[in-house]
């Protein structure tokens, strides 16, 4: 608790200092924490609702959805997975690998966390498209094709969400054991 420096502040009560995040072994430096599933899920649900509203308002004027839009996200997920495997091997120093500078490891984890959030947004948008096109797929040919593309997009975006999310959690655990984070 900090004493009130302002005379009128005494009526509002004591001022509490904010404590920084606590690291392992009581280290006062802020730490990076794994992304929570509920946060990613909430982002995906909000994006799905907004995507569905947007598609309902504009579906008649949209061109057919390209499959490449869904496949590009899969390529990003594969690249992040490969980078995560290489980085984890370097952090664990397998087979005499060169050690990773802590700043590089921290940047990789933050990239993975950002990819998880971005993947949740993209997955939610694709689910919004599916919510609009799937009920119409039996009647409208374009809606059927767009449903297939949206389903591929959902799977791709889920890969982009969960692959980096998993390896960032693993990197954080390994990094804490090695005292990198």
């Amino acid at each position: 608790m900090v004493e009130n420096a302002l005379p009128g502040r005494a009526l509002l009560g004591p001022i509490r200092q904010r404590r920084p995040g606590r690291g392992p072994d009581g280290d006062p430096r802020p730490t990076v924490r794994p992304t929570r599933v509920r946060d990613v899920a909430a982002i995906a649900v909000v994006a799905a609702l907004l995507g569905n509203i947007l598609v309902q308002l504009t579906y008649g004027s949209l061109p057919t959805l390209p499959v490449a839009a869904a496949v590009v996200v899969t390529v990003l997920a594969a690249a992040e997975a490969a980078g995560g495997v290489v980085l984890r091997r370097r952090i664990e120093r397998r087979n005499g690998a060169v050690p990773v500078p802590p700043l590089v490891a921290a940047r990789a984890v933050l990239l993975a966390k950002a990819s998880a959030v971005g993947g949740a947004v993209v997955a939610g948008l694709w689910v919004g498209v599916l919510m609009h096109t799937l009920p119409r797929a039996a009647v409208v040919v374009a809606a059927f094709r767009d449903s297939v593309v949206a389903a591929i997009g959902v799977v791709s975006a889920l890969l982009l969400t969960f692959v980096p999310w998993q390896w960032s959690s693993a990197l954080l655990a390994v990094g804490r054991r090695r005292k990198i984070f």
Side-chain angles (χ1 to χ4, degrees):
M1 301 279 201
V2 175
E3 292 299 321
N4 294 325
L6 302 172
R9 179 75 176 119
L11 298 175
L12 299 175
I15 299 172
R16 294 191 176 139
Q17 287 184 342
R18 296 186 66 176
R19 294 177 62 203
R22 293 284 175 192
D25 304 327
D27 188 0
R29 294 179 295 183
T31 59
V32 178
R33 302 202 185 281
T35 305
R36 292 183 289 202
V37 175
R38 72 173 185 195
D39 295 341
V40 174
I43 290 168
V45 167
V46 169
L49 293 175
L50 292 175
N52 188 9
I53 291 169
L54 185 64
V55 168
Q56 285 182 4
L57 294 174
T58 62
Y59 188 71
S61 63
L62 290 176
T64 58
L65 300 173
V67 178
V71 174
V72 166
V73 178
T74 306
V75 172
L76 289 173
E80 288 208 33
V85 168
V86 170
L87 188 62
R88 185 170 181 172
R89 285 182 181 162
R90 286 186 59 195
I91 287 176
E92 291 177 344
R93 296 185 182 127
R94 290 186 191 168
N95 301 328
V98 178
V100 177
L103 190 57
V104 171
R107 285 178 179 165
V109 169
L110 292 178
L111 171 68
K113 288 172 70 77
S115 294
V117 171
V121 169
V122 173
L125 292 174
W126 282 118
V127 167
V129 171
L130 268 177
M131 287 169 33
H132 182 77
T133 59
L134 207 53
R136 295 163 180 78
V139 181
V140 182
V141 175
F144 175 77
R145 185 182 184 288
D146 289 343
S147 296
V148 171
V149 172
I152 294 169
V154 168
V155 172
S156 299
L158 289 176
L159 283 173
L160 183 63
T161 301
F162 290 110
V163 168
W165 179 62
Q166 286 292 355
W167 71 255
S168 70
S169 298
L171 287 178
L172 285 171
V174 171
R176 285 199 177 102
R177 279 197 313 264
R178 295 253 178 206
K179 301 200 187 293
I180 291 177
F181 299 113

